Amino acid sequence: MSTNKKVTSEQVSSLASQTLLDENSSKTAKILAGSALSQVQKGKQTGSKVEDLASKVLQSPKYSDKTKSLAGSVLSQSNKER
């Protein structure tokens, strides 16, 4: 199995931190933010359940641009073989 060596950018890390601290952020946004922050260092990649969630977020019109940014970052760090 190949691994993805991408890491979360500083900009997305900052957005993820703000999302986790914001009491008004949705549960979905917080899940994606936590996943993005866990991938700041090399060697981590997105799990299949979070991949599915991120994919659904990107396909839905109901999520904010910020949540979609987190979803895109998380998906870019997923296992390409899945």
Side-chain angles (χ1 to χ4, degrees):
M1 178 187 303
S2 67
T3 57
N4 190 328
K5 299 194 181 345
K6 292 183 181 180
V7 295
T8 304
S9 70
E10 235 179 87
Q11 183 179 6
V12 174
S13 295
S14 176
L15 173 61
S17 294
Q18 291 169 12
T19 300
L20 289 173
L21 293 172
D22 183 354
E23 62 186 37
N24 295 317
S25 292
S26 68
K27 179 179 179 182
T28 297
K30 288 186 176 193
I31 290 169
L32 295 171
S35 179
L37 282 177
S38 75
Q39 296 171 44
V40 169
Q41 296 179 353
K42 291 183 181 180
K44 304 263 184 177
Q45 63 185 24
T46 306
S48 61
K49 288 182 182 179
V50 178
E51 277 181 35
D52 290 342
L53 176 63
S55 178
K56 289 175 184 171
V57 165
L58 290 173
Q59 294 173 24
S60 173
K62 78 176 193 174
Y63 293 100
S64 70
D65 288 345
K66 290 180 180 182
T67 302
K68 287 187 177 194
S69 291
L70 293 169
S73 176
V74 164
L75 272 182
S76 76
Q77 298 173 66
S78 64
N79 181 339
K80 302 301 180 195
E81 293 179 358
R82 268 200 286 258

